[in-house]
Amino acid sequence: MAGFSLRKLLDVITPRMIVRGLIYPLRTASRVRRSTPRGTSSPKVKSGTYPAAPLETFSFLGNVTQFERDEDGRVTVTAENGKIRLTPLADDLVQVRVRPDGMFVPPFSYAVAKPEGDWPPVESKLVDTDDQIELHTRMLRIVVHKHPCRLSVLDQAGRLLLSDVEGVGHQADGQLIWRTSFREGAACYGLGEKASALNHVGRRFEMWNVDPSGYERGDDPLYMSVPFLVVQTGGIAAGIFIDNSYHAQVDIGATTPHVLEYRTLGGEFRVYLMAGTPQTVLERFTELTGRMNLPPLWTLGFHQSRWSYYPQSRVLEIAREFRQRHLPCDAIHLDIDYMDDCRCFTWDKRRFPDVQGMLAELHAQGFKAMAIIDPGIKIDPGYWVFREGIQRDAFICYPDGSRYVGPVWPGDCHFPDFTNPAVREWWGGLYQGLLDDGLDAFWNDMNEFALITLKPRTTAPDILHYDAEGRGATEAEIHNVYGMLMARASFEGLRRLRPDRRPFVLTRSGWAGVQRYAVHWTADNKSTWDHLRLSISMVLNLGLSGIPFTGPDTGGFTGGPTPELFARWMQVSAFLPFYRVHSMIKSPDQEPWAFGPEVEAICRKYLELRYRLLPYLYTAVWQATRTGIPIVRALSFMYPDDLSTYSLDDQFLFGDSLLVAPILEAGAEKREVYLPAGEWYDFWTGQLYKGQQTVTVEAPLDVLPLFVRAGAVIPFWPVQQYVGEKQIDQLELYAYYSAGEHTSLLYEDDGVTPDYVSPEAYRLSRFCLRGGEEGQSLSIERVIEQGSYAEVPEQIRLHVIGLKGIPSRTDLEAGELLAQAHDPSTGRLAYDLKAPEAFRITILQGR
Ligand code: MIG
């Protein structure tokens, strides 16, 4: 395994841990044997490699014998070897279930946020012919072929999206397979966290969350899986969400071109099919599995981390450096060494003799502090969390009732059963003490859950027993949702403990729907150029899997970046949602000042730009909470008709109007950039380019190629050293002339409380830019679309870029024009307005 290095392991692992790691397989095997009924399968310790059975060993559905439709529009088809049920949930969403036993008990899913009963009735019709049954909704047609029973999926125009090859097959032991074909030339996105290129066609992946202990491009699986795919071609998109949490394998034309082969080791075949554009499909998928909540605004600032900052004097020293050097930063992270021998919810009092004093000092300097929490609870009768867990019967057990033991950082541990609502509540409450100490937010690590054994990727035995909301389940079913449920317990606890503030949880593991509880980072990457490149495709695919707020360990986790790599990475991450530097224990220093004054100045430039762009970024985050649209977007997602964007993953869109085309190679000082339809301004020079062409731009080390969509109005704040440092009394707007009508949005609220659910507590503005022909006139109108939040800047400084000639007349409706200026060398105009509410400014040009 490329990610495994004995040296790295020896760096952090004590001899005691090695002994535990050696004993673990033996001890586990004997416990598994003891609690497995005699004659059933032999105990095995799993490590995330899918055991694919030959195709001939599956039994497929056979011919259709009958079908019926109930008054809710549900269609049940009976075939020789099982039944299919089609349930229309929306015009563009149909649930398909297949059961060999024909028993359609109500589905149970941790992923789905909007279950069957919550969708309003949908119009649908059924068409029956000799060969097939067709269920039509307004946007989707599901065809069930009768001889033999296979599915096809078409859009409303009758274009074939998916067409079964063998269809769905089962084995007596519960394994299942689905083989369906997709359109030639289609691209495929999603699947959660995948260390590969953006477009998944031609590759095979697993759904089984593991700790790879470091990874390289191509290593699979990783920490977070999401069995959702968008298959798109020529502007049409199909969404496929397979709601099954067992260990699965997804082959996207790797074995047979254009054939999607899905396999899983257990559970039901339950798939949600969607059709539309990539945007409508993602909107529907995130309606089904939920959307992120608005995070506190400070979390969009910069985070500095390493494994680990200690003692407390070192933490404060780091904080002071940021302020002295005027490097904006909002958060310092504390990794495992803050704890007393890795006991969660405790402090190492020697390293942190005055926790409250340290945290008060951080707060006084405008910092927030985030601390790591792992799921493993040290087996130690002297440890209160352990004792409480035992008293409450909170830990995962073998089927015979004995508690499961697994080795992690603290040594042998028990693990909370987060599928038990009472355990989630208990766990959520454990944060009280750390909140009282002054910590602001939390980071859930190792929640795959990871074990420290000599074999990386080892996960717990399949037979462990879980509560699963009282219905009972095994590790085989729960494994993939465990991390998400830990994040859920943390999120719900923080919300309960501090109802006046928005919770913020960072999680390593997750599953479809994790965005409802936490944000994610792509964990143990390396300080290499290829990992810088990977951070883009990974974040883009996570966004296309419903998880919009993610980012890499900037600078790389293992190893040390060159100054050049660090500078380039800080530039890229300034435009990724989660902006954090983090690095491995014993790796070289990775603070922005650790690479010399030139790199420090570059870091400052991009940190400042990030902070200036906060109102724009916050608006993009708000959009994600409303529609599920990613914060950073693949070009293929926004321009699905443009086939040249389908595999483009070295450039991306940041919010609605910025296009980022970073340098991803050592020594490079220029690059080619593909500009999609429309017109684009170079952010730095103001030069205007036509879209649908590739241009070459210069990019010395301090320049990240950045473009603005013509017609955009981009909001800026002044530079702050941290969110809330200044009272913002002036909003800067940069308006980029373009002929025709263009819309931009701005979302505002207090950035802290969950009050934004009520209209007095937020405000959504729409800027409408209307450009006359040939750069001769421009009007910009601000309309307050929603809400009446009033703590907003009164003053506006408006910059206008791209108008030709000298202004001959300027009119302002509603508001006061305080000053105006024209820079003849750049043609830029600037206006100072007093206009806290709606206004309209019209600018006419002379010769
Ligand atoms: O096995 O807490 O991905 O960010 O620094 C390593 C120590 C455990 C893995 C996380 C990494 C963190 C580290 N953790």
Side-chain angles (χ1 to χ4, degrees), residues 211 307 335-336 372 409 443 445-446 508 521 523-524 553 557 580 582:
D211 175 3
W307 178 10
D335 207 329
I336 44 177
I372 200 166
W409 298 116
W443 163 20
D445 189 21
M446 303 292 277
R508 192 169 76 175
W521 91 107
D524 303 357
D553 281 350
F557 181 67
R580 183 181 76 153
H582 181 56

mmCIF file of all heavy atoms in Angstrom, residues 211 307 335-336 372 409 443 445-446 508 521 523-524 553 557 580 582, ligand 1:
data_model
loop_
_atom_site.group_PDB
_atom_site.id
_atom_site.type_symbol
_atom_site.label_atom_id
_atom_site.label_comp_id
_atom_site.label_asym_id
_atom_site.label_seq_id
_atom_site.Cartn_x
_atom_site.Cartn_y
_atom_site.Cartn_z
ATOM 1 N N ASP A 211 -9.088 4.144 7.397
ATOM 2 C CA ASP A 211 -7.958 5.045 7.590
ATOM 3 C C ASP A 211 -6.813 4.458 6.771
ATOM 4 O O ASP A 211 -6.246 3.440 7.141
ATOM 5 C CB ASP A 211 -7.590 5.075 9.074
ATOM 6 C CG ASP A 211 -6.340 5.908 9.336
ATOM 7 O OD1 ASP A 211 -5.807 6.503 8.374
ATOM 8 O OD2 ASP A 211 -5.905 5.959 10.501
ATOM 9 N N TRP A 307 -0.038 18.655 14.182
ATOM 10 C CA TRP A 307 -0.030 17.577 15.163
ATOM 11 C C TRP A 307 1.275 17.687 15.911
ATOM 12 O O TRP A 307 2.281 17.269 15.383
ATOM 13 C CB TRP A 307 -0.188 16.244 14.440
ATOM 14 C CG TRP A 307 -0.154 15.053 15.336
ATOM 15 C CD1 TRP A 307 -0.188 15.012 16.695
ATOM 16 C CD2 TRP A 307 -0.068 13.690 14.894
ATOM 17 N NE1 TRP A 307 -0.131 13.725 17.138
ATOM 18 C CE2 TRP A 307 -0.056 12.886 16.050
ATOM 19 C CE3 TRP A 307 0.004 13.073 13.636
ATOM 20 C CZ2 TRP A 307 0.030 11.485 15.979
ATOM 21 C CZ3 TRP A 307 0.086 11.693 13.577
ATOM 22 C CH2 TRP A 307 0.092 10.908 14.751
ATOM 23 N N ASP A 335 -4.412 19.268 18.425
ATOM 24 C CA ASP A 335 -4.449 17.849 18.071
ATOM 25 C C ASP A 335 -4.273 16.996 19.339
ATOM 26 O O ASP A 335 -4.126 17.545 20.442
ATOM 27 C CB ASP A 335 -3.368 17.575 17.009
ATOM 28 C CG ASP A 335 -3.698 16.393 16.114
ATOM 29 O OD1 ASP A 335 -4.368 15.458 16.578
ATOM 30 O OD2 ASP A 335 -3.255 16.392 14.951
ATOM 31 N N ILE A 336 -4.231 15.672 19.178
ATOM 32 C CA ILE A 336 -4.382 14.751 20.326
ATOM 33 C C ILE A 336 -3.521 15.012 21.546
ATOM 34 O O ILE A 336 -3.894 14.619 22.643
ATOM 35 C CB ILE A 336 -4.183 13.259 19.917
ATOM 36 C CG1 ILE A 336 -2.984 13.091 19.001
ATOM 37 C CG2 ILE A 336 -5.431 12.708 19.303
ATOM 38 C CD1 ILE A 336 -2.707 11.634 18.645
ATOM 39 N N ILE A 372 -9.448 18.349 18.879
ATOM 40 C CA ILE A 372 -9.763 17.046 18.280
ATOM 41 C C ILE A 372 -10.429 16.138 19.320
ATOM 42 O O ILE A 372 -10.117 16.214 20.512
ATOM 43 C CB ILE A 372 -8.456 16.411 17.747
ATOM 44 C CG1 ILE A 372 -8.729 15.328 16.704
ATOM 45 C CG2 ILE A 372 -7.606 15.849 18.880
ATOM 46 C CD1 ILE A 372 -7.476 14.929 15.933
ATOM 47 N N TRP A 409 -4.941 5.347 19.799
ATOM 48 C CA TRP A 409 -3.884 6.114 20.476
ATOM 49 C C TRP A 409 -3.789 5.886 21.968
ATOM 50 O O TRP A 409 -2.699 5.773 22.518
ATOM 51 C CB TRP A 409 -4.024 7.616 20.179
ATOM 52 C CG TRP A 409 -3.867 7.901 18.732
ATOM 53 C CD1 TRP A 409 -4.809 8.401 17.884
ATOM 54 C CD2 TRP A 409 -2.705 7.666 17.918
ATOM 55 N NE1 TRP A 409 -4.323 8.484 16.602
ATOM 56 C CE2 TRP A 409 -3.030 8.039 16.603
ATOM 57 C CE3 TRP A 409 -1.441 7.155 18.170
ATOM 58 C CZ2 TRP A 409 -2.131 7.942 15.544
ATOM 59 C CZ3 TRP A 409 -0.538 7.051 17.120
ATOM 60 C CH2 TRP A 409 -0.890 7.442 15.833
ATOM 61 N N TRP A 443 -13.309 18.802 16.309
ATOM 62 C CA TRP A 443 -12.783 18.116 15.154
ATOM 63 C C TRP A 443 -12.860 16.630 15.503
ATOM 64 O O TRP A 443 -12.256 16.211 16.480
ATOM 65 C CB TRP A 443 -11.353 18.666 15.005
ATOM 66 C CG TRP A 443 -10.397 17.943 14.169
ATOM 67 C CD1 TRP A 443 -10.643 17.045 13.191
ATOM 68 C CD2 TRP A 443 -8.967 18.108 14.223
ATOM 69 N NE1 TRP A 443 -9.467 16.641 12.633
ATOM 70 C CE2 TRP A 443 -8.437 17.262 13.241
ATOM 71 C CE3 TRP A 443 -8.103 18.871 15.000
ATOM 72 C CZ2 TRP A 443 -7.060 17.162 13.019
ATOM 73 C CZ3 TRP A 443 -6.746 18.770 14.784
ATOM 74 C CH2 TRP A 443 -6.228 17.931 13.789
ATOM 75 N N ASP A 445 -11.970 12.952 14.640
ATOM 76 C CA ASP A 445 -10.983 12.205 13.841
ATOM 77 C C ASP A 445 -11.197 10.704 14.079
ATOM 78 O O ASP A 445 -11.938 10.304 14.974
ATOM 79 C CB ASP A 445 -9.578 12.637 14.289
ATOM 80 C CG ASP A 445 -8.472 12.096 13.394
ATOM 81 O OD1 ASP A 445 -8.737 11.730 12.234
ATOM 82 O OD2 ASP A 445 -7.312 12.040 13.876
ATOM 83 N N MET A 446 -10.542 9.878 13.285
ATOM 84 C CA MET A 446 -10.448 8.421 13.510
ATOM 85 C C MET A 446 -11.819 7.733 13.541
ATOM 86 O O MET A 446 -11.943 6.627 14.042
ATOM 87 C CB MET A 446 -9.717 8.130 14.835
ATOM 88 C CG MET A 446 -8.320 8.724 14.938
ATOM 89 S SD MET A 446 -7.111 7.998 13.828
ATOM 90 C CE MET A 446 -6.621 6.542 14.759
ATOM 91 N N ARG A 508 -13.629 13.510 9.894
ATOM 92 C CA ARG A 508 -12.821 12.835 8.882
ATOM 93 C C ARG A 508 -13.646 11.816 8.113
ATOM 94 O O ARG A 508 -13.567 11.712 6.907
ATOM 95 C CB ARG A 508 -11.610 12.146 9.522
ATOM 96 C CG ARG A 508 -10.623 11.693 8.454
ATOM 97 C CD ARG A 508 -9.307 11.253 9.023
ATOM 98 N NE ARG A 508 -9.386 9.936 9.637
ATOM 99 C CZ ARG A 508 -8.338 9.280 10.122
ATOM 100 N NH1 ARG A 508 -7.131 9.825 10.085
ATOM 101 N NH2 ARG A 508 -8.484 8.095 10.677
ATOM 102 N N TRP A 521 -12.362 17.417 6.015
ATOM 103 C CA TRP A 521 -11.082 17.697 5.366
ATOM 104 C C TRP A 521 -10.536 16.397 4.799
ATOM 105 O O TRP A 521 -10.897 15.308 5.274
ATOM 106 C CB TRP A 521 -10.126 18.374 6.336
ATOM 107 C CG TRP A 521 -9.238 17.472 7.139
ATOM 108 C CD1 TRP A 521 -7.890 17.287 6.967
ATOM 109 C CD2 TRP A 521 -9.597 16.636 8.256
ATOM 110 N NE1 TRP A 521 -7.406 16.401 7.902
ATOM 111 C CE2 TRP A 521 -8.429 15.977 8.698
ATOM 112 C CE3 TRP A 521 -10.809 16.360 8.906
ATOM 113 C CZ2 TRP A 521 -8.428 15.071 9.758
ATOM 114 C CZ3 TRP A 521 -10.807 15.455 9.964
ATOM 115 C CH2 TRP A 521 -9.631 14.838 10.381
ATOM 116 N N ALA A 523 -7.766 14.943 4.910
ATOM 117 C CA ALA A 523 -6.856 14.214 5.811
ATOM 118 C C ALA A 523 -5.459 13.941 5.259
ATOM 119 O O ALA A 523 -4.891 14.786 4.600
ATOM 120 C CB ALA A 523 -7.539 12.980 6.336
ATOM 121 N N ASP A 524 -4.926 12.756 5.518
ATOM 122 C CA ASP A 524 -3.472 12.561 5.504
ATOM 123 C C ASP A 524 -2.836 12.518 4.118
ATOM 124 O O ASP A 524 -2.355 11.480 3.647
ATOM 125 C CB ASP A 524 -3.101 11.308 6.297
ATOM 126 C CG ASP A 524 -3.601 11.360 7.731
ATOM 127 O OD1 ASP A 524 -4.190 12.388 8.122
ATOM 128 O OD2 ASP A 524 -3.425 10.376 8.463
ATOM 129 N N ASP A 553 -5.373 19.357 3.855
ATOM 130 C CA ASP A 553 -4.312 19.866 4.717
ATOM 131 C C ASP A 553 -3.393 20.689 3.822
ATOM 132 O O ASP A 553 -2.596 20.132 3.050
ATOM 133 C CB ASP A 553 -3.528 18.708 5.358
ATOM 134 C CG ASP A 553 -4.263 18.092 6.545
ATOM 135 O OD1 ASP A 553 -5.280 18.668 6.981
ATOM 136 O OD2 ASP A 553 -3.804 17.042 7.017
ATOM 137 N N PHE A 557 0.180 17.000 4.662
ATOM 138 C CA PHE A 557 0.270 16.449 6.024
ATOM 139 C C PHE A 557 1.644 15.813 6.246
ATOM 140 O O PHE A 557 2.414 16.279 7.085
ATOM 141 C CB PHE A 557 -0.857 15.423 6.231
ATOM 142 C CG PHE A 557 -0.898 14.795 7.591
ATOM 143 C CD1 PHE A 557 -1.218 15.543 8.715
ATOM 144 C CD2 PHE A 557 -0.641 13.437 7.756
ATOM 145 C CE1 PHE A 557 -1.267 14.955 9.982
ATOM 146 C CE2 PHE A 557 -0.697 12.842 9.015
ATOM 147 C CZ PHE A 557 -1.010 13.600 10.123
ATOM 148 N N ARG A 580 -7.230 25.473 5.836
ATOM 149 C CA ARG A 580 -6.459 25.129 7.022
ATOM 150 C C ARG A 580 -5.101 24.546 6.645
ATOM 151 O O ARG A 580 -5.009 23.685 5.785
ATOM 152 C CB ARG A 580 -7.208 24.082 7.865
ATOM 153 C CG ARG A 580 -6.485 23.736 9.174
ATOM 154 C CD ARG A 580 -7.215 22.681 10.000
ATOM 155 N NE ARG A 580 -7.038 21.343 9.442
ATOM 156 C CZ ARG A 580 -7.089 20.216 10.152
ATOM 157 N NH1 ARG A 580 -7.346 20.271 11.449
ATOM 158 N NH2 ARG A 580 -6.930 19.060 9.579
ATOM 159 N N HIS A 582 -2.258 22.121 8.053
ATOM 160 C CA HIS A 582 -2.092 21.093 9.090
ATOM 161 C C HIS A 582 -0.930 20.212 8.671
ATOM 162 O O HIS A 582 -0.667 20.046 7.488
ATOM 163 C CB HIS A 582 -3.373 20.264 9.213
ATOM 164 C CG HIS A 582 -3.313 19.197 10.275
ATOM 165 N ND1 HIS A 582 -3.015 19.474 11.590
ATOM 166 C CD2 HIS A 582 -3.509 17.857 10.219
ATOM 167 C CE1 HIS A 582 -3.043 18.336 12.287
ATOM 168 N NE2 HIS A 582 -3.335 17.347 11.473
HETATM 169 O O1 MIG B 1 -3.442 8.344 13.099
HETATM 170 O O2 MIG B 1 -4.525 13.070 15.656
HETATM 171 O O3 MIG B 1 -5.967 12.601 9.891
HETATM 172 O O4 MIG B 1 -5.084 15.050 10.881
HETATM 173 O O5 MIG B 1 -3.197 14.967 12.954
HETATM 174 C C1 MIG B 1 -3.296 9.716 13.063
HETATM 175 C C2 MIG B 1 -3.395 12.824 14.903
HETATM 176 C C3 MIG B 1 -4.419 10.382 13.805
HETATM 177 C C4 MIG B 1 -5.098 11.505 11.813
HETATM 178 C C5 MIG B 1 -5.611 12.777 11.238
HETATM 179 C C6 MIG B 1 -4.582 13.848 11.395
HETATM 180 C C7 MIG B 1 -4.215 14.018 12.847
HETATM 181 C C8 MIG B 1 -3.732 12.691 13.421
HETATM 182 N N1 MIG B 1 -4.748 11.668 13.225
#
